[in-house]
Amino acid sequence: HYELPVQPKILEKLHDGIFPDGLFYSSYSKDLSSELLEEEKAEMKFVSTEQTYLDFNACNEYSLGKERASTLTIPIVAVYGENDRMLLKDAQQKLREANKHTKVKVVSNAAHYIMLEQPKALADILVEFKNSIQIS
């Protein structure tokens, strides 16, 4: 999405070297299998909290997204998880307003990490999108 604000308390904790449990759990659907959730927790050790802070801070500070999105004249598909709590509630509507070329798709039973939670649904959307556009 073109706008990715991060709550100041989350940034503060990450800056202090603490990865908030709530941030981890809010990234995933409540229906995610416990096995996949445990795999994702184990993967966290490969990225330092410092790097996570830098990434989230960059997202929070990015301010040109709407301007950039509004200038695109190519077909766009934006895929959102129905239970995504990481994005603003009106993210889909804002993107549609910023760029009329945008097709929005919502994946059921998924939160922020659609590619992990519903990989087939995401692949189907991407193939459908690819087949709907003509490349010249």
Side-chain angles (χ1 to χ4, degrees), residues 97-117:
E97 290 170 0
N99 189 297
K100 65 182 178 184
H101 302 284
T102 302
K103 291 182 182 179
V104 171
K105 300 289 184 170
V106 178
V107 177
S108 299
N109 300 316
H112 196 69
Y113 293 108
I114 301 164
M115 66 294 250
L116 296 172
E117 297 183 63

Side-chain angles (χ1 to χ4, degrees), residues 14 17 26 40-41 43 52 56 65 79 86 97-98 106 130:
L14 290 170
S26 67
E40 288 301 297
K41 264 191 174 178
E43 295 280 324
T52 302
F56 275 68
V79 185
M86 301 292 286
E97 290 170 0
V106 178
K130 177 200 155 284

Side-chain angles (χ1 to χ4, degrees), residues 37-96:
L37 197 59
E38 288 306 314
E39 285 179 36
E40 288 301 297
K41 264 191 174 178
E43 295 280 324
M44 287 178 56
K45 68 182 175 192
F46 296 114
V47 180
S48 70
T49 304
E50 178 183 9
Q51 184 60 56
T52 302
Y53 166 76
L54 293 172
D55 292 348
F56 275 68
N57 194 53
C59 290
N60 192 58
E61 291 183 353
Y62 185 63
S63 62
L64 300 175
K66 183 176 183 178
E67 177 185 333
R68 299 288 193 255
S70 68
T71 64
L72 296 172
T73 58
I74 59 173
I76 300 166
V77 64
V79 185
Y80 293 89
E82 143 184 81
N83 303 313
D84 193 330
R85 293 175 282 169
M86 301 292 286
L87 298 177
L88 298 172
K89 290 185 186 292
D90 60 350
Q92 298 168 32
Q93 178 185 341
K94 284 182 161 188
L95 186 55
R96 280 190 191 111

